[in-house]
Amino acid sequence: MKMIDLRSDTVTKPTPGMLDAMMSAKVGDDVFGEDPTVLALEAKGAEMMGMEAAIYCPSGTMTNQIGIHILSNPYEEVICYSGAHIYKYEGGGVAGTSGLSFRFLDGDRGRLSAREIEAEINPDDIHYPITSIIELENTVNKGGGCYYTLDQIKSIHTVAVKHGLKMHLDGARLFNALAETGENPADYNEYFDTISICLSKGLGAPVGSLLVGSQKLINKARRVRKFMGGGMRQAGFIAAAGLYALENHIDRLKEDHQRAKALEEALNQCSLVESVMPVDTNIVIFRLKEGLKVSDTLEKLKEKGILAVGFGARDIRLVTHLDFGDDQLEQAVAIIKAL
């Protein structure tokens, strides 16, 4: 039995076209700034986001950590969603690397509003850390893949400008959001100082993320990447996969969203399930009925051929991706309905 792996959209393998691009990549020493494929990827990412420059890093955790670090000083504070990736899943890096504290908000499934953010900005008082950054996540992982529109972001940016705050976007699945809104990614440059874009999630590259921003900020980011150990040498072999993904895998993201909606429908018919978070993109989060254990249900799914992850005391997450096609969808729906 071949397992249907829905633990994350990071589990994908390179497509034949992507693999060909990787094998034929022109490379050089990226730490010396001499890898032509890395330079092409960085130029492509910056252009797409309407920014001056970009830097290629091994992971989205690193691009988030660098972005926060170059926008702040120790003992300051970041306003973010209480389930934000930079807090929940990055090993305490913001506290350890940048010496910052957090101010948590819940928002609407993790989407914060301008009004609730403004209410939590610290006054100019030596007893409080200085509020310095507003961090948003698009799409919102713990919010079931819900997303912000540019109009929502614009109102938050107005608050940031009013109070002299910087803005960082964890855009790990930004192109999933854009697939639904139809907005131009280049318009994001008006609202964020730094943006992290993951190439190894919905876009299907095997490794890597980009941090985009002004040339001045990206120059600072190169120094931070160096001390974090993120400087790679002939990185063009993997950068080629990211470049291929940006050129070929964006338009197909809606297919993942459609398959996620089909899983949502099946889960709503499953007797083990109490509720399913509304599915907006490629993330499906469902809650088990009272008394059922996540560990038991994960094992039951595995026995039937589906891999998933626990996402809370009673919650389980599934994520669709480019290696999850219609045949596997049909199998998964049948398994879920029969649980």
Side-chain angles (χ1 to χ4, degrees):
M1 178 178 60
K2 185 177 180 181
M3 298 300 292
I4 299 172
D5 197 341
L6 296 174
R7 291 173 297 173
S8 177
D9 44 4
T10 60
V11 301
T12 58
K13 306 296 191 297
T15 62
M18 181 181 286
L19 199 57
D20 287 344
M22 294 170 72
M23 292 301 99
S24 61
K26 295 179 180 179
V27 300
D29 192 317
D30 180 47
V31 177
F32 290 142
E34 296 174 353
D35 190 301
T37 307
V38 172
L39 292 172
L41 171 61
E42 291 172 343
K44 175 76 172 180
E47 179 187 16
M48 289 181 74
M49 298 308 302
M51 294 288 200
E52 291 179 349
I55 183 171
Y56 181 54
C57 294
S59 70
T61 292
M62 183 174 284
T63 48
N64 276 334
Q65 292 298 317
I66 292 174
I68 295 294
H69 189 83
I70 62 179
L71 296 180
S72 63
N73 297 297
Y75 308 110
E76 295 179 344
E77 189 167 81
V78 182
I79 292 179
C80 68
Y81 165 46
S82 59
H85 195 278
I86 62 165
Y87 169 66
K88 297 281 288 186
Y89 304 115
E90 297 187 8
V94 168
T97 303
S98 300
L100 306 179
S101 58
F102 289 99
R103 177 65 62 91
F104 296 125
L105 301 175
D106 290 330
D108 171 22
R109 292 167 58 197
R111 289 169 296 192
L112 311 182
S113 71
R115 182 164 61 179
E116 64 184 327
I117 288 171
E118 188 162 31
E120 297 300 324
I121 296 171
N122 285 332
D124 184 9
D125 184 319
I126 62 170
H127 296 86
Y128 302 116
I130 296 169
T131 305
S132 62
I133 300 173
I134 299 169
E135 190 268 356
L136 305 180
E137 194 174 304
N138 205 18
T139 65
V140 185
N141 180 24
K142 294 284 283 186
C146 63
Y147 52 84
Y148 289 90
T149 65
L150 275 173
D151 282 344
Q152 292 169 317
I153 290 168
K154 182 178 180 180
S155 64
I156 293 170
H157 180 257
T158 299
V159 170
V161 171
K162 177 181 174 182
H163 294 275
L165 308 183
K166 303 294 185 182
M167 288 187 61
H168 172 75
L169 178 67
D170 177 356
R173 296 181 176 91
L174 175 59
F175 287 99
N176 290 89
L178 294 172
E180 293 300 317
T181 65
E183 294 162 344
N184 185 349
D187 291 339
Y188 271 66
N189 75 334
E190 295 183 42
Y191 307 114
F192 292 97
D193 299 278
T194 50
I195 300 174
S196 168
I197 300 168
C198 188
L199 304 168
S200 65
K201 292 190 171 70
L203 296 181
V207 64
S209 289
L210 291 170
L211 182 70
V212 300
S214 69
Q215 188 66 63
K216 182 178 180 181
L217 284 172
I218 297 304
N219 289 344
K220 289 179 67 176
R222 291 194 183 280
R223 181 173 292 275
V224 180
R225 185 185 71 171
K226 181 63 177 176
F227 78 64
M228 286 185 172
M232 298 179 284
R233 299 298 179 178
Q234 288 72 35
F237 293 114
I238 51 174
L243 190 58
Y244 184 91
L246 289 176
E247 292 173 346
N248 296 278
H249 287 173
I250 292 175
D251 290 343
R252 59 152 309 281
L253 288 171
K254 275 220 165 189
E255 298 175 23
D256 297 340
H257 302 176
Q258 290 162 1
R259 294 181 183 116
K261 291 291 289 184
L263 292 175
E264 175 190 27
E265 183 179 341
L267 286 162
N268 277 320
Q269 300 174 47
C270 178
S271 63
L272 304 182
V273 175
E274 178 181 291
S275 62
V276 185
M277 198 175 286
V279 171
D280 297 317
T281 51
N282 70 324
I283 297 176
V284 184
I285 298 175
F286 63 95
R287 175 156 293 181
L288 298 173
K289 289 185 176 177
E290 192 77 44
L292 296 176
K293 291 183 178 180
V294 167
S295 58
D296 292 343
T297 305
L298 290 175
E299 187 59 34
K300 190 174 293 187
L301 283 166
K302 186 176 180 179
E303 289 172 1
K304 299 293 185 182
I306 296 177
L307 296 177
V309 294
F311 225 49
R314 289 166 55 200
D315 295 342
I316 291 175
R317 187 188 76 169
L318 308 172
V319 186
T320 58
H321 49 75
L322 64 81
D323 282 354
F324 178 67
D326 287 336
D327 288 346
Q328 286 192 322
L329 172 63
E330 187 177 342
Q331 295 174 45
V333 166
I335 291 168
I336 289 168
K337 286 183 177 179
L339 281 178

